Amino acid sequence: MAPAPTRLRLPHPVILLGAAVLVAALLTWILPAGQFDRRDDAATGRRVVVAGTYHRVNASHVGLFAAAVAIPRGFIAAADVIGLVLLVAGAWVVVDRLGTLPAVVAALVQRFASRGLWVIPLVSLFFGSMGALENMQEEIIPLVPVLLALGKGIGVDAVTVVAMSAGAAMVGSAFGPTNPFQAGIALKLAQLPPLGRGGVRMSMFVIGLALWIGLTMRHAIRTRTAPAASVRVGDSAVAVPQLDARHALIMAIVLAPMAAYVYGALRLEWGLNELAAGFLVAGLVAGLVGRMGLGTTVLTYLDGMQSVLPAAFMVGVARSISLVLEDGHVVDTILNSMVTPLGHLPAISSALLMIPLHGLLHVAVPSVSGQAVLTMPLFVPVSDLLGFSREAVVLAYQTGAGLAELVTPTNGALMAILLAAGVPYQRWFGFVVLGVAVLVLVGVLAIVAVA
């Protein structure tokens, strides 16, 4: 009898990202160097490209050593994200060692034991809303051990845990009408009101998140196992205590920075540094309230930071990919080659073709806000030329770039979350590809409605 075929196994995520850095360097030798002129945009406070100004520049090939140097440069460029991952993880491990996290997870499992998988829609709704409000992604990385413990308590696998947290957040970010880092920037650059077509955008968010929750529930039902008899968070050896007033206070302390950050991001222009600082303070205060002592709290905090070093490393490597492409002056070349054919197509075809173009470009530019700055000034004139609405351009960007966050291996946050959850990339891709296809149809229908 012939042996069973071996399933394709992709290399470790760090190897995948390292290979992507080398491919980016190779592209700087293959593609012609070029760039657009840029100007300061008062509405967004960013430098944006000027349509019609693409021109060739001197080649700037990136060699092997320069590609290696781009990796530590990527750490510097992604310092705020890496700092966030480390400092948030430290705070959560302090709370874990105090027994608060096991108590909270145990209480949640007990609460939903008779309701089975109905915890999935509630968790997904929370993370989807956070994605819509503040583009939540990196903040999820340190939460993975807690979410995995909750998943084991209700008998679902790690793919379900990633889907109901990071997946839901990315869907909410893509379709959220209030996301200041995606829809907000794109609408400003397209010179559209922030609440324009609010009904269409809210419908996209509700329908998209509902479909994603349905797909997550479908997978959870198919793969469900017996719930774990005991709850264990991370490497904690603490016996699961009862959720008492002290644990409730500690949990409130560690959640306070997140609540403050939502307000600060929307009203005070806060960034990841403010959130990281909030968790640093909260972790130390939680340790003192839990009578751990300052010295033990600091040592525990450092242990927590060490636990996410692999994930933090991946964030830095992922950022280096775009640095290599920028060094070689080929990002604008890739963008120009995508934009030029759009002006020669029928209006609706041009609008819909922007979706896959945004998805492809997002591999090279894994920042949704950065991609908006690059593409909106170029794609909006195409809509004016062909006579379809600028709203369609923004929706195509949200659908293409936003949903690409779910699949592109250059998304450092996604790869770090998969690594922390122990989910191989190919397994995640097998799950997510159907969801992305369904959600793209939501975007297509919305574009047709507003075009």
Side-chain angles (χ1 to χ4, degrees), residues 229-251:
S230 60
V231 178
R232 184 181 179 88
V233 180
D235 296 325
S236 175
V238 178
V240 178
Q242 293 295 317
L243 183 61
D244 56 20
R246 183 170 66 91
H247 287 310
L249 174 60
I250 292 171
M251 198 65 187

Side-chain angles (χ1 to χ4, degrees), residues 308-396:
V308 292
L309 280 177
F313 179 83
M314 291 181 63
V315 171
V317 177
R319 180 66 180 88
S320 68
I321 298 170
S322 58
L323 290 181
V324 169
L325 295 173
E326 292 168 7
D327 290 345
H329 302 299
V330 296
V331 173
D332 287 4
T333 298
I334 296 171
L335 179 59
N336 183 64
S337 67
M338 291 179 173
V339 174
T340 301
L342 294 178
H344 304 288
L345 296 174
I348 191 63
S349 299
S350 178
L352 295 178
L353 188 59
M354 288 180 183
I355 296 176
L357 292 182
H358 275 295
L360 290 172
L361 185 63
H362 199 65
V363 177
V365 187
S367 164
V368 286
S369 57
Q371 187 164 337
V373 171
L374 275 176
T375 58
M376 287 298 104
L378 300 177
F379 284 8
V380 166
V382 173
S383 70
D384 294 341
L385 175 67
L386 297 181
F388 60 90
S389 74
R390 295 185 175 189
E391 287 282 358
V393 177
V394 175
L395 293 179

Side-chain angles (χ1 to χ4, degrees), residues 65 73 179 212 218 237 251 265 275 277 301 326 406 429 434:
F65 186 67
R73 289 175 53 215
N179 184 349
W212 182 259
R218 174 174 171 266
M251 198 65 187
L275 178 60
Y301 203 107
E326 292 168 7
L406 288 162
F429 185 85
L434 175 61

Side-chain angles (χ1 to χ4, degrees), residues 32 51 56 60 109 139 198 202 233 303 336 364 430:
R56 295 287 182 88
S60 181
V109 171
E139 300 92 326
M202 183 56 68
V233 180
D303 284 344
N336 183 64

Side-chain angles (χ1 to χ4, degrees), residues 73-86 272-273 315-316 319:
R73 289 175 53 215
F75 278 68
I76 296 171
D80 56 346
V81 176
I82 293 172
L84 173 74
V85 171
L86 295 174
L272 298 184
N273 288 334
V315 171
R319 180 66 180 88

Side-chain angles (χ1 to χ4, degrees), residues 260-283:
Y261 176 68
V262 172
Y263 175 82
L266 296 176
R267 298 290 185 184
L268 305 176
E269 298 184 355
W270 279 13
L272 298 184
N273 288 334
E274 285 78 9
L275 178 60
F279 271 101
L280 172 61
V281 173

Side-chain angles (χ1 to χ4, degrees), residues 282-307:
L284 297 176
V285 172
L288 296 177
V289 171
R291 304 187 186 120
M292 183 179 277
L294 183 59
T296 304
T297 298
V298 170
L299 291 175
T300 304
Y301 203 107
L302 293 175
D303 284 344
M305 294 173 68
Q306 292 177 20
S307 69

